[in-house]
Amino acid sequence: MRNVMQKFWILFVMVLMACGSFAETKAILVACKDLGSISDEPIAMLLDQKGYAVTICKQNDLPDVKLENFDAAVISANADADNEAVLNLIRGGQLPTLNMQGFTYADGRLNWGAPHSGSVNNKLDIYVERPEHPIYKGFSNLEQGNSIRILEQNGEIRGIMPILVDLPGTYCLATAYTQSIDEVNGKGEPQTSIHEIPVEMRGGSKYICLPIAMSGARFLSEDGKKLILNIMSYLLSEEPAELDLPFLEISAFSIEGFDAQINQAENTIELAMDAEEFKDMDSLRYVQPEITLADPNYSHVYPNKEVDLRFCPYVPKTFVVTDYISRRAYSFSICLWRKEGIDQTEDETAPVRKEWQNGQIVIIRGNNKYTITGIKIQ
């Protein structure tokens, strides 16, 4: 009899190990608007199938919930974004939290950003910003900028819902493209699709926001499911992210070989240009600036394509350096000057080079160097 009982307990333990033992089971609170069961919420159902002890809680019942009975929380995309109990679950920091409802970030709620509603034309992919982060464990050969297809399809449903986040000191872990009215494929500007708030900003508990519309979450790919489960494992672990915030700075800026002067203290960029050349305004209609960033790995500059600079002598253009959370804006302008004091008998066929030295334009023609006094044309 004793041997039979031993065999029974060994078998029982093996089953627990396969399904997730009681000791390892984590209690997950899923806050939603009006769902009746786990099967109504795709993320809750995924977690339940993986052995988590999931409790569905209607948002109006949240104030009466004893949070100490739970290990982590998931805010469903079904939850009302302006519900005070839902917002307090985010603000409070009492539980590690995965937030699927990006509209909690909107003005008048958390004031953390401007959400995008998703679109039937949204891409199915996210683009990795921090491949070294623990949530990407198990994704092989992942590098910054690589894509992960997290939805199988979106058809007539909404999918990934990126956010223009504005919460300094926090991390963008991935981006996704927003819808654009001008482009039929819905590829607008990339914005944050996975956002993390460091534990020190949230009273010691982890927080990640990955907004996916509930209708889209029903079509998670295998990689999408893997990512969600990785996020939950990370939230429930003691493993730190150990990320540094990017250094947001344009360190060099040039147009067609001419270097602009950058004033880092005032966030301005100025390029000196011959007024005679500027008469051909169309030459500045399509210009691709060469921009060097101090931290090219985890910072980006916008616009980073051909731009129209025809009006920059009169109206400055803004270039923004961002990590998709914090932003630094530089004001770019063109200072027009006229040639003064140049010996017009100089051989016009000699090679000419222009430089900006110590606040002055220098014309170098052959072996001769001429200093030009800049005259800004208003």
Side-chain angles (χ1 to χ4, degrees):
M1 182 68 179
R2 184 176 180 181
N3 289 337
V4 172
M5 288 300 297
Q6 284 180 335
K7 290 179 179 179
F8 170 79
W9 283 112
I10 290 172
L11 178 62
F12 182 65
V13 170
M14 291 175 66
V15 171
L16 288 181
M17 290 177 67
C19 301
S21 71
F22 292 140
E24 294 175 345
T25 298
K26 299 294 184 180
I28 308 300
L29 174 70
V30 177
C32 58
K33 182 178 180 180
D34 53 11
L35 300 181
S37 68
I38 289 173
S39 61
D40 294 331
E41 215 288 344
I43 304 304
M45 187 165 60
L46 172 65
L47 298 178
D48 179 70
Q49 291 170 346
K50 292 299 179 179
Y52 289 97
V54 177
T55 297
I56 293 286
C57 177
K58 294 182 180 180
Q59 60 193 28
N60 291 336
D61 297 331
L62 275 176
D64 299 323
V65 171
K66 293 183 179 180
L67 298 181
E68 62 270 19
N69 293 336
F70 295 91
D71 298 299
V74 174
I75 297 171
S76 172
N78 168 268
D80 285 329
D82 58 354
N83 182 276
E84 197 61 27
V86 170
L87 297 177
N88 285 337
L89 190 58
I90 298 174
R91 295 190 193 104
Q94 293 174 266
L95 289 176
T97 299
L98 168 59
N99 180 14
M100 310 291 288
Q101 173 52 282
F103 277 78
T104 53
Y105 281 31
D107 186 38
R109 295 164 188 172
L110 295 174
N111 297 323
W112 288 355
H116 184 268
S117 63
S119 162
V120 296
N121 290 325
N122 267 139
K123 294 293 183 181
L124 307 174
D125 301 341
I126 61 168
Y127 295 85
V128 176
E129 284 295 309
R130 299 286 190 142
E132 72 275 24
H133 196 282
I135 68 170
Y136 296 119
K137 281 184 177 178
F139 289 91
S140 59
N141 302 317
L142 204 59
E143 297 180 355
Q144 196 269 343
N146 286 170
S147 64
I148 299 176
R149 176 147 296 186
I150 64 173
L151 299 181
E152 292 284 6
Q153 60 174 315
N154 57 1
E156 296 302 318
I157 61 171
R158 298 190 184 277
I160 303 170
M161 306 171 76
I163 306 171
L164 177 65
V165 180
D166 185 16
L167 186 60
T170 63
Y171 304 119
C172 173
L173 305 183
T175 62
Y177 283 97
T178 60
Q179 182 186 19
S180 170
I181 296 174
D182 299 324
E183 299 182 24
V184 295
N185 292 326
K187 183 177 179 182
E189 293 293 333
Q191 300 296 349
T192 301
S193 61
I194 305 181
H195 171 229
E196 179 173 13
I197 300 177
V199 293
E200 58 269 20
M201 293 180 64
R202 200 172 174 267
S205 66
K206 296 176 181 177
Y207 172 94
I208 283 181
C209 181
L210 171 54
I212 303 177
M214 183 177 290
S215 54
R218 298 186 189 281
F219 297 97
L220 283 172
S221 67
E222 289 305 311
D223 278 346
K225 294 175 183 178
K226 180 179 178 179
L227 181 63
I228 294 290
L229 294 173
N230 279 2
I231 289 173
M232 292 306 300
S233 294
Y234 168 69
L235 291 174
L236 289 161
S237 74
E238 299 296 325
E239 185 175 9
E242 296 182 343
L243 300 179
D244 293 324
L245 294 173
F247 185 51
L248 304 181
E249 181 180 283
I250 294 177
S251 57
F253 189 107
S254 65
I255 293 177
E256 296 180 357
F258 294 101
D259 295 332
Q261 296 299 297
I262 303 177
N263 187 325
Q264 300 291 358
E266 298 184 6
N267 295 325
T268 59
I269 303 172
E270 186 174 87
L271 181 69
M273 180 172 287
D274 187 336
E276 295 299 318
E277 294 179 3
F278 186 70
K279 285 181 179 179
D280 181 13
M281 295 184 67
D282 279 346
S283 67
L284 295 177
R285 182 188 293 270
Y286 304 108
V287 178
Q288 175 73 65
E290 294 184 15
I291 301 173
T292 302
L293 298 175
D295 185 352
N297 290 326
Y298 299 123
S299 65
H300 313 265
V301 63
Y302 289 95
N304 189 22
K305 56 186 178 182
E306 285 189 343
V307 290
D308 188 343
L309 301 179
R310 289 174 297 167
F311 306 105
C312 285
Y314 319 106
V315 180
K317 189 172 187 67
T318 300
F319 288 85
V320 176
V321 187
T322 180
D323 61 345
Y324 297 111
I325 303 288
S326 299
R327 290 164 176 78
R328 182 177 181 181
Y330 286 83
S331 177
F332 171 78
S333 61
I334 294 176
C335 175
L336 295 177
W337 53 270
R338 293 192 182 98
K339 297 176 182 177
E340 288 185 343
I342 292 183
D343 183 356
Q344 298 299 322
T345 63
E346 182 68 31
D347 182 4
E348 294 292 337
T349 63
V352 177
R353 187 171 77 255
K354 302 173 196 170
E355 292 183 0
W356 177 269
Q357 298 179 3
N358 300 321
Q360 292 181 311
I361 291 293
V362 173
I363 301 295
I364 302 173
R365 180 182 284 125
N367 294 322
N368 299 303
K369 182 181 291 187
Y370 301 90
T371 299
I372 310 301
T373 302
I375 302 177
K376 189 163 186 176
I377 299 176
Q378 301 298 331

